Amino acid sequence: MRCGVVVEDLAVEVTAELPNDHARREVLALIECVRHDPRAWPDVRDPGPGEEIREAFERRCWVQYMPHARAIEVREIHWIG
């Protein structure tokens, strides 16, 4: 856990495979924005599950996450740059 952020194993692997430091900074900046206001991004869950799953987008990346009381859980990171 880092400053209210829990990152799933797959998301950690994707972050490690990003092409350069600029890409990592862009992804981390998006995660920081999400951490500050996690419910500002759209809820994308299916009607059935009880989990609140949201997605946040930047120009070349997006993250899928779950907000919790004092943290966010980053489930997936995608990079298209």
Side-chain angles (χ1 to χ4, degrees):
M1 186 163 147
R2 178 184 171 267
C3 301
V5 178
V6 176
V7 182
E8 292 290 321
D9 290 341
L10 181 58
V12 170
E13 289 176 26
V14 170
T15 303
E17 294 174 3
L18 289 170
N20 55 47
D21 286 339
H22 177 74
R24 279 185 281 286
R25 282 193 302 272
E26 189 171 325
V27 168
L28 293 175
L30 177 58
I31 291 171
E32 186 64 15
C33 287
V34 167
R35 188 181 70 82
H36 283 293
D37 194 3
R39 288 189 168 75
W41 303 89
D43 188 343
V44 296
R45 67 184 150 178
D46 293 330
E51 296 178 326
E52 182 179 358
I53 299 170
R54 294 181 175 261
E55 287 184 340
F57 299 87
E58 189 51 70
R59 197 171 64 133
R60 292 179 290 187
C61 63
W62 73 95
V63 296
Q64 189 176 74
Y65 66 95
M66 292 174 49
H68 296 287
R70 303 189 109 185
I72 61 167
E73 176 184 345
V74 178
R75 301 185 73 170
E76 292 184 43
I77 295 172
H78 303 272
W79 177 258
I80 59 170

